Amino acid sequence: PQCTDLSFAIEEIREAHEEPTDPQAQQEIINSIEEVYFSNDSFDIVKYELERLPPVLSLQELEEYRDKLKQQQAAVSKKVADLILEKQPAYVEELERVTSLQSGLQLAAVICTNGRRHLNIAKEGFTQTSLGLLANQRKRQLLIGLLKSLRTIKTLQRTDVRLSEMLEEEDYPGAIQLCLECQKAASTFKHYSCISELNSKLQDTLEQIEEQLDVALSKICKNFDINHYTKVQQAYRLLGKTQTAMDQLHMHFTQAIHNTVFQVVLGYVELCAGNTDTKFQKLQYKDLCTHITSDSYIPCLADLCKALWEVMLSYYRTMQWHENHDQDEAAVVSSDGNNVIGTEESSFDRNYVKKKLEHGLSRIWQDVQLKVKTYLLGTDLSNFKYDDFIFVLDVISRLMQVGEEFCGSKSEVLQESIRKQSVNYFKTYHRTRLEELRMFLENETWELCPVKSSFSILQLHEFKFMEQSRSPSVSPSKQPASAVSATVTLFEQYCNGGNPFEIQADSKDDETEDVLASNGYESDEQEKSAYQEYDSDSDVPEELKRDYVDEQTGDAPIKSVSRDTLRSRKKSDYNLNKVNAPILTNTTLNVIRLVGKYMQMMNILKPIAFDVIHFMSQLFDYYLYAVYTFFGRNDMFESTGLGLSSSRLRTTLNRIQESLIDLEVSADPSGTLTAAEERKEKVPSPHLSHLVVLTSGNSLYGLAERVVATESLVFLAEQFEFLQPHLDAVMPAAKKPFLQQFYSQTVSTASELRKPVYWIVAAKAIDYEQMLLLMANVKWDVKEIMSQHNVYVDALLKEFEEFNRRLNDVSKRVRIPLPVSNILWEHCIRLANRTLVEGYANVKKCSNEGRALMQLDFQQFLMKLEKLTDIRPIPDKEFVETYIKAYYLTENDMECWIKEHREYSTKQLTNLVNICLGTYINKKARQKLLATIDDIDRPKR
C-alpha cells in the first residue's frame, strides 16, 4: 500500500512539473519567502499570519497578500517536485533491492526450520541419554561432598557443648586447641551462611575462654597450684600470648594484695563495729585502718601478714615453676634444634618472662610494705602493753626477714614506719617505767631478794631472745633456734604448708622461771640444796671461788684458790655458811627485767638502738643516783681529805643530776611544770622509804640495807658489763662513743660508790670523839720511859671489837662480801688513825719519853687490831708513824719534811713546830717554819 501512495505522489509531481515555469522567476519567489517559514515544525504559521494583519482590514490587500502566499507555496511545491523527480531512478533501484532481500529472508527461514528439525532428532537419539547420565553422576559427586560438609558443620555446631565441658573441667589448653581447630575448619566452609555465623560465634567463645583463663590466672595469686598453673600457661602459649599472660599476672598480684588487705581489715572493723552497716566498704583502705580497735590490732596484723605471705609465696612458687620449666625447655631445645625461628621466639618469651618476674619481686614487696605501713601508722601504739608491742615488732621483724629473702630488700619503708612507732611508743613506755622505778625505789626497803647461787639473767624470760638471736638466720620470734637450719629460708621451710605468721602460744605459759632460792619453809632437801654446808673443802662450790675475784679490777685470780686461802678468808667474808648468791633487791630484778625488755625491742628493731640504749642507760643512771642519794650523800665527804669519791664519780653524779633529775618538781606541787618536765624527760629525785632506818647504832646505821643497795648496784653494773658486747653489736657506728663513755664513766663507777656509802657507817660506828677526850686526859710530858700503854688504846680496841660483833650480827641477815668488809675496816682504821694523829696534834706539852709512849700506844693498837682483821697492810699506818717520828727532826729537816707531807692539816703541822721544836729552836726559826706552813696552806683556801 505504501508503494501505491508513493506512485500517486510522484504522478502529481510530474503533472505539476509539466506546467511551463521560469526557473529564474521561481527562484526569486522562493527567495522572497520570509525566513521565519524555514524555522522548525513547531512554528505556528496561522497564528503568525493573523498577528501580522493590520488593525484596519482591506479586502483587496488581503486578497493580494493571499495570492502572493499562494505563488510562494506553488514555487516551493514546484521546487520540491523537481528534486523528487531528479532522484527517482535511485529510488526505483533501491526498491528492487528491498524486494530481493525479502525473498532471501523467506529462503533462510525454511533452511532454519529444517536444521532445527534435524537437531531435535539428534538430541532425542544420542545427546539427551548420554549427557544425562554424566550430569547425574556429577550431581551425585557434588551431593556426596555436600553431605560431608554438612556432617562437618553439624560437628562444628556441637563443639559448643564440648567446649563448655572442657572449661568446667578447667582443661583450658584442650578447649583452646579445639576452638582453634574449629576456627580453621570454619574458614574452609565460610561460603556457607550458617558457617560465617558460626565463625563469629567461635571467636566469641575464644574470647570467653580468654576471660575465664584470666580468672583462672588470678586464682594463682592466693593459692598456687602447679597443675592448674601449668594448664593456664599451656593455654596462653597456644594463644601466643605468653607475654600478655605475664603482664596480666602482675596486675592480678597487685590487685590481690590490695583486695586481700582490704578484706582482712574490713572483716575486723565490721566485727568490732558489731553491725552490718556497709559504710565501711566504701572507705579507702587508709581510712579503714584507723577504725581498727587496740584489741583487734594484733590478730588483724597477724592475719594481714599471713594473707600477704600467701600472696608472696604464690609469687615465689610461680618463679620456681618458670625456672624449672625453662630448664626443661632448654634441655628439649638442645636435643632437637630443628625449628630455629620457633626456638628464637620461645627464647625471647622466656627472657621477657624472666625479667618481668624479677622486676615484679621488688614491685610486689613495695606494695606489701606500703599496705603494712598504712596499717601500722593507722593506730597509735603508745599505750599498748609491752608484750603486745613486742609481738608487733616481732611480726614486722619476721616480715622484714621475708622481704630480705623475697627480693633482698632492706625494707626501708617498714623500718621507717616501725621506727617511728617504736620511738613514739618507747618514749611513752620509758617515761612510765622511770616513774615506776621511782615508785619502786621510794617503796624499796632494801631487803635481800633470795635468788639461787646459780642465778643468771639469761634465766629470766626477758632474756630468752638472746639465745635465739645467736643464730642470725632466725628472727627473734617464738621459733626455737634449733628448729630451723641456718641455710633454709622461710620460703623453703613453709613452701608446702604452714605460715610463719601463725600466732604461737607464748612459752611463758608452759614454763616458769626457777630463779628464787628456797624460802626455808619448804622441804629439808630443798633447804639443804639452797644452803649448803662448807665443812668439807671438796664441797666448796665454784660460785664461792668466783667470789674471790678482785672486785676493784674485775679480774679473777690466775691460779685456783687454795684451801688454806679459803679458810683464812672465811672470817673476813662474813657468814660464808650461806650460799654465795648474788645480792640484789626486787627493784634490781625489776631494772634487769626492764633492760631485757628494752634489749628485746632493740634486737628486733635495730634502727632505734641508740634511743633504746640511751633510755637503758637512764635506768642505770637513776638507780645509781638513788643509791647515792639514799646512802652516800654527805657534805662532810671532801672535808675529811680522804678522797672518798673520785672525780669521775662526782662528774657522773653531776651529769645524772643535770640531765635526768627534775629538781624543780618538788618546788612546784601544782604541776604547772608538767609539760616542761615531759619535754625534758626528767624524773623527780627519789626519796628514801621511811621504813628504812639509818640512824640506829645496833644495826650499824642501816648497814644491811646499805650492803644490799650498793652490792645490788654493783651486781647491776656487772650485768651491764656482760651485756656490753650485745649492745655494741647493734649500736650504730656513729653513736658508739656514747656507749663507750657510758661504760667507762658510769657503769665502772658503781663499785666506787661503796667508799662514800660505807664511810658514813665507819664514821658513826666508832666513837672517835670519845677517844679524843680520853687522849686529851693523857699526860705526855713524862720524864721516864713507860712500859704500859694508855687506856684510850683499850677503849678504841673495845670499840673495834664491838664493831666486829655488830658486823657479825648484820651478816646473819645479809652476806657481807669481802670487798665490803675490807672497805668498812679500812674506813674505820683510817678514821681511827687520823683521830690518833689529831689527838697527838692536840697535845700542849710533850717530852721525848712522851713520844716514845705515843709509839708504844700505837704499836699496841696495831698488834691487837691485826687479830681482828685480815687487812694488810694496815691503812694509814705510815700516816701515824711518820707524824710521831717527825718530832725528832732537826730544824733544817723539818722544813723539807713540811713541804713533802702535805697530807697533814695546818693545825697538825703547826703543833709539830710549836710543841716539839719549840724547846730546841729560837723564835726566828720557828716563825720561818710557820711561814712555810702558811704558804703551803694558802693554795688550799
Side-chain angles (χ1 to χ4, degrees):
Q2 290 175 343
C3 292
T4 310
D5 293 340
L6 192 60
S7 299
F8 288 143
I10 291 170
E11 201 61 39
E12 283 181 9
I13 291 167
R14 189 179 285 120
E15 287 176 0
H17 192 69
E18 286 175 354
E19 291 179 6
T21 57
D22 184 2
Q24 187 70 29
Q26 288 290 329
Q27 188 62 40
E28 286 178 358
I29 294 170
I30 290 171
N31 290 342
S32 67
I33 299 172
E34 290 182 26
E35 191 69 31
V36 73
Y37 285 100
F38 294 102
S39 60
N40 56 24
D41 295 341
S42 61
F43 177 63
D44 190 350
I45 300 169
V46 178
K47 185 180 178 183
Y48 173 72
E49 291 297 341
L50 288 173
E51 286 176 349
R52 283 189 60 191
L53 291 175
V56 179
L57 296 174
S58 170
L59 181 63
Q60 187 182 351
E61 287 176 1
L62 285 172
E63 284 178 349
E64 286 175 1
Y65 186 63
R66 184 193 65 185
D67 292 342
K68 182 185 176 183
L69 287 173
K70 279 186 177 181
Q71 284 176 359
Q72 287 176 344
Q73 184 183 16
V76 168
S77 298
K78 181 77 170 59
K79 183 72 174 175
V80 169
D82 288 346
L83 289 170
I84 289 170
L85 287 174
E86 193 179 318
K87 300 289 181 184
Q88 187 183 10
Y91 165 74
V92 172
E93 187 181 338
E94 189 64 31
L95 194 62
E96 286 174 355
R97 285 178 63 197
V98 169
T99 308
S100 172
L101 181 62
Q102 188 176 8
S103 302
L105 286 171
Q106 284 174 347
L107 179 62
V110 171
I111 292 167
C112 283
T113 305
N114 290 336
R116 281 182 179 175
R117 190 175 65 250
H118 290 124
L119 281 170
N120 197 32
I121 292 165
K123 174 188 169 186
E124 288 174 0
F126 170 71
T127 312
Q128 196 168 17
T129 307
S130 303
L131 293 180
L133 286 170
L134 289 171
N136 286 337
Q137 179 61 22
R138 181 171 172 274
K139 191 184 289 184
R140 182 170 175 270
Q141 291 298 331
L142 288 169
L143 287 171
I144 288 169
L146 180 62
L147 187 63
K148 190 178 178 182
S149 297
L150 287 170
R151 281 178 181 154
T152 305
I153 290 167
K154 187 178 181 183
T155 307
L156 286 173
Q157 288 179 328
R158 285 181 180 172
T159 49
D160 265 359
V161 179
R162 180 64 191 134
L163 280 172
S164 299
E165 289 173 0
M166 285 175 138
L167 290 176
E168 282 178 19
E169 294 164 8
E170 294 187 346
D171 182 10
Y172 303 108
I176 290 170
Q177 189 75 47
L178 178 61
C179 204
L180 291 173
E181 285 173 5
C182 288
Q183 274 191 323
K184 191 177 178 182
S187 66
T188 311
F189 301 107
K190 62 185 176 185
H191 47 281
Y192 298 111
S193 58
C194 62
I195 289 300
S196 63
E197 291 174 12
L198 178 68
N199 210 357
S200 62
K201 189 176 181 183
L202 282 171
Q203 188 59 39
D204 292 343
T205 305
L206 199 60
E207 288 172 9
Q208 187 184 341
I209 292 172
E210 274 194 60
E211 287 174 13
Q212 287 200 27
L213 201 55
D214 196 46
V215 173
L217 189 65
S218 68
K219 290 178 184 175
I220 297 297
C221 300
K222 287 190 180 176
N223 191 10
F224 183 87
D225 180 78
I226 291 178
N227 296 329
H228 182 74
Y229 189 66
T230 305
K231 285 180 184 176
V232 170
Q233 279 296 324
Q234 285 174 350
Y236 273 113
R237 182 169 290 189
L238 283 170
L239 290 172
K241 293 187 176 181
T242 308
Q243 294 183 22
T244 309
M246 200 42 57
D247 296 340
Q248 286 293 106
L249 184 65
H250 280 82
M251 189 186 74
H252 286 312
F253 268 106
T254 305
Q255 192 63 35
I257 290 170
H258 176 77
N259 291 345
T260 300
V261 296
F262 188 83
Q263 290 305 320
V264 169
V265 177
L266 178 66
Y268 275 93
V269 169
E270 289 185 338
L271 185 69
C272 295
N275 55 33
T276 55
D277 195 351
T278 57
K279 67 174 181 179
F280 294 119
Q281 296 173 4
K282 297 169 186 174
L283 289 176
Q284 292 288 321
Y285 172 70
K286 185 178 180 180
D287 300 324
L288 196 63
C289 288
T290 60
H291 287 81
I292 286 286
T293 62
S294 54
D295 291 340
S296 60
Y297 186 85
I298 284 179
C300 182
L301 176 64
D303 283 352
L304 202 62
C305 290
K306 277 196 277 186
L308 288 170
W309 162 261
E310 294 295 341
V311 175
M312 286 187 283
L313 180 63
S314 293
Y315 194 86
Y316 171 81
R317 294 184 68 188
T318 304
M319 286 192 75
Q320 268 193 330
W321 185 93
H322 280 281
E323 282 174 19
N324 298 335
H325 185 72
D326 287 353
Q327 288 170 3
D328 296 344
E329 205 169 71
V332 171
V333 168
S334 62
S335 63
D336 178 25
N338 294 336
N339 190 356
V340 179
I341 297 170
T343 304
E344 285 179 0
E345 190 178 338
S346 177
S347 176
F348 180 78
D349 280 350
R350 282 204 304 276
N351 289 334
Y352 179 86
V353 167
K354 187 178 179 182
K355 285 181 181 175
K356 189 79 178 175
L357 283 169
E358 286 171 356
H359 178 66
L361 279 170
S362 53
R363 269 187 55 196
I364 284 171
W365 178 240
Q366 193 66 11
D367 283 348
V368 169
Q369 280 193 93
L370 290 170
K371 296 297 181 188
V372 178
K373 174 192 175 182
T374 304
Y375 181 81
L376 277 175
L377 300 180
T379 304
D380 180 12
L381 307 182
S382 58
N383 295 315
F384 269 40
K385 290 179 183 173
Y386 176 82
D387 289 338
D388 290 344
F389 190 75
I390 282 293
F391 186 85
V392 172
L393 289 189
D394 195 31
V395 169
I396 300 303
S397 172
R398 176 59 68 97
L399 189 62
M400 286 194 281
Q401 186 188 347
V402 169
E404 177 76 37
E405 293 175 6
F406 189 65
C407 60
S409 167
K410 296 299 177 190
S411 310
E412 287 85 357
V413 173
L414 276 181
Q415 283 197 19
E416 179 54 30
S417 55
I418 200 68
R419 191 195 69 77
K420 197 179 291 182
Q421 282 284 36
S422 297
V423 171
N424 180 35
Y425 173 82
F426 211 71
K427 280 182 178 174
T428 308
Y429 180 77
H430 176 65
R431 178 75 198 165
T432 312
R433 298 293 81 76
L434 270 180
E435 288 292 347
E436 279 181 9
L437 180 56
R438 179 166 74 99
M439 185 184 71
F440 268 103
L441 288 166
E442 291 185 345
N443 289 286
E444 178 62 70
T445 55
W446 303 100
E447 293 289 335
L448 195 63
C449 178
V451 293
K452 289 188 173 182
S453 58
S454 59
F455 171 73
S456 161
I457 59 169
L458 294 175
Q459 294 165 356
L460 299 172
H461 289 304
E462 285 79 6
F463 290 89
K464 291 290 182 188
F465 75 92
M466 286 177 68
E467 294 174 11
Q468 295 161 5
S469 64
R470 285 170 193 165
S471 172
S473 66
V474 182
S475 80
S477 67
K478 309 298 180 290
Q479 194 79 11
S482 60
V484 188
S485 168
T487 56
V488 177
T489 66
L490 290 171
F491 286 97
E492 290 167 342
Q493 183 188 350
Y494 293 99
C495 193
N496 298 318
N499 195 301
F501 296 99
E502 287 289 345
I503 298 180
Q504 298 173 5
D506 199 334
S507 57
K508 285 183 185 177
D509 299 337
D510 306 324
E511 56 180 274
T512 55
E513 291 177 334
D514 186 21
V515 295
L516 296 180
S518 170
N519 58 13
Y521 295 102
E522 297 177 23
S523 67
D524 292 341
E525 284 299 316
Q526 286 176 315
E527 189 172 359
K528 190 175 178 182
S529 67
Y531 299 100
Q532 298 177 18
E533 295 295 329
Y534 295 130
D535 294 336
S536 167
D537 285 333
S538 61
D539 292 332
V540 176
E542 285 301 316
E543 290 85 353
L544 179 59
K545 293 174 186 174
R546 278 204 300 274
D547 196 51
Y548 297 115
V549 172
D550 184 354
E551 300 221 10
Q552 298 301 316
T553 63
D555 297 327
I558 297 170
K559 294 179 180 178
S560 60
V561 183
S562 69
R563 294 178 182 182
D564 294 336
T565 311
L566 286 174
R567 284 200 191 99
S568 68
R569 290 184 176 179
K570 277 186 183 180
K571 57 185 176 185
S572 293
D573 195 357
Y574 288 86
N575 205 14
L576 267 182
N577 292 345
K578 279 192 177 180
V579 169
N580 194 16
I583 294 175
L584 67 157
T585 67
N586 285 324
T587 305
T588 324
L589 211 52
N590 180 56
V591 172
I592 291 170
R593 287 184 188 278
L594 274 181
V595 167
K597 288 180 176 181
Y598 282 28
M599 285 187 69
Q600 268 183 303
M601 189 173 293
M602 179 177 60
N603 193 59
I604 294 170
L605 199 72
K606 293 178 179 60
I608 65 161
F610 171 69
D611 301 278
V612 176
I613 291 174
H614 174 63
F615 290 146
M616 200 187 297
S617 72
Q618 288 187 348
L619 295 176
F620 186 83
D621 286 349
Y622 197 66
Y623 195 92
L624 172 72
Y625 187 81
V627 173
Y628 162 73
T629 309
F630 293 168
F631 303 106
R633 180 179 276 168
N634 193 304
D635 297 332
M636 293 173 62
F637 278 170
E638 305 312 320
S639 64
T640 61
L642 295 171
L644 294 170
S645 53
S646 64
S647 61
R648 188 173 59 158
L649 179 59
R650 287 196 301 275
T651 306
T652 297
L653 290 167
N654 288 335
R655 177 188 62 76
I656 295 170
Q657 186 166 296
E658 286 173 15
S659 63
L660 190 62
I661 307 302
D662 186 6
L663 300 172
E664 296 177 9
V665 75
S666 56
D668 180 43
S670 61
T672 55
L673 293 175
T674 305
E677 176 193 342
E678 287 180 357
R679 189 174 65 252
K680 293 175 187 174
E681 296 180 1
K682 290 187 174 184
V683 192
S685 181
H687 302 289
L688 183 64
S689 169
H690 63 87
L691 298 173
V692 180
V693 180
L694 301 179
T695 54
S696 170
N698 292 331
S699 65
L700 267 180
Y701 306 96
L703 178 61
E705 287 81 0
R706 292 175 192 273
V707 168
V708 171
T710 52
E711 298 317 299
S712 65
L713 176 65
V714 171
F715 177 79
L716 189 60
E718 287 170 0
Q719 306 319 305
F720 268 83
E721 293 282 2
F722 167 70
L723 296 170
Q724 185 177 6
H726 300 277
L727 302 180
D728 194 63
V730 293
M731 190 66 144
K735 302 289 187 181
K736 284 194 177 181
F738 166 82
L739 189 65
Q740 290 159 1
Q741 191 176 10
F742 169 64
Y743 272 92
S744 63
Q745 294 184 8
T746 306
V747 177
S748 61
T749 59
S751 58
E752 293 179 20
L753 206 60
R754 286 168 171 161
K755 280 191 174 184
V757 169
Y758 297 131
W759 181 86
I760 297 172
V761 174
K764 294 179 179 179
I766 289 169
D767 192 349
Y768 304 103
E769 293 296 325
Q770 177 64 25
M771 190 171 70
L772 283 175
L773 290 173
L774 289 173
M775 289 178 76
N777 295 329
V778 175
K779 189 177 181 183
W780 296 106
D781 55 347
V782 290
K783 299 299 182 184
E784 57 184 38
I785 301 293
M786 304 296 288
S787 60
Q788 182 63 36
H789 61 271
N790 282 302
V791 68
Y792 73 87
V793 174
D794 295 324
L796 182 59
L797 287 168
K798 192 175 180 183
E799 287 278 324
F800 272 100
E801 285 171 1
E802 178 62 20
F803 170 70
N804 195 25
R805 185 190 63 75
R806 283 194 236 163
L807 214 52
N808 267 308
D809 290 343
V810 171
S811 69
K812 290 172 184 173
R813 284 178 56 200
V814 177
R815 176 177 64 83
I816 300 177
L818 182 63
V820 175
S821 63
N822 282 350
I823 284 176
L824 279 166
W825 277 100
E826 182 188 335
H827 279 333
C828 287
I829 295 167
R830 204 180 285 276
L831 282 167
N833 284 339
R834 286 172 183 267
T835 306
L836 285 172
V837 171
E838 187 65 23
Y840 295 151
N842 289 336
V843 174
K844 304 298 180 190
K845 291 179 182 179
C846 184
S847 64
N848 286 338
E849 291 78 10
R851 299 302 165 210
L853 182 57
M854 286 180 184
Q855 283 184 312
L856 175 67
D857 289 346
F858 187 58
Q859 291 304 320
Q860 179 68 19
F861 171 65
L862 289 178
M863 186 179 68
K864 294 287 180 70
L865 187 64
E866 284 176 350
K867 293 179 181 178
L868 289 172
T869 179
D870 288 338
I871 293 181
R872 303 290 184 276
I874 297 295
D876 280 354
K877 176 183 172 186
E878 292 82 4
F879 185 78
V880 182
E881 289 176 341
T882 305
Y883 189 78
I884 296 172
K885 288 173 184 176
Y887 282 92
Y888 302 107
L889 295 173
T890 62
E891 177 190 340
N892 293 334
D893 291 339
M894 177 60 83
E895 187 175 352
C896 295
W897 188 91
I898 287 169
K899 289 178 180 177
E900 288 173 3
H901 292 80
R902 298 189 177 191
E903 67 268 24
Y904 297 103
S905 68
T906 307
K907 174 192 169 185
Q908 290 165 353
L909 294 171
T910 306
N911 181 270
L912 274 177
V913 174
N914 288 333
I915 304 303
C916 303
L917 298 179
T919 54
Y920 304 115
I921 60 174
N922 58 33
K923 189 174 181 181
K924 187 178 179 182
R926 193 192 327 171
Q927 289 297 333
K928 183 183 176 184
L929 288 172
L930 291 173
T932 304
I933 294 168
D934 197 47
D935 289 341
I936 291 169
D937 185 50
R938 192 172 289 122
K940 296 179 184 176
R941 293 174 189 163

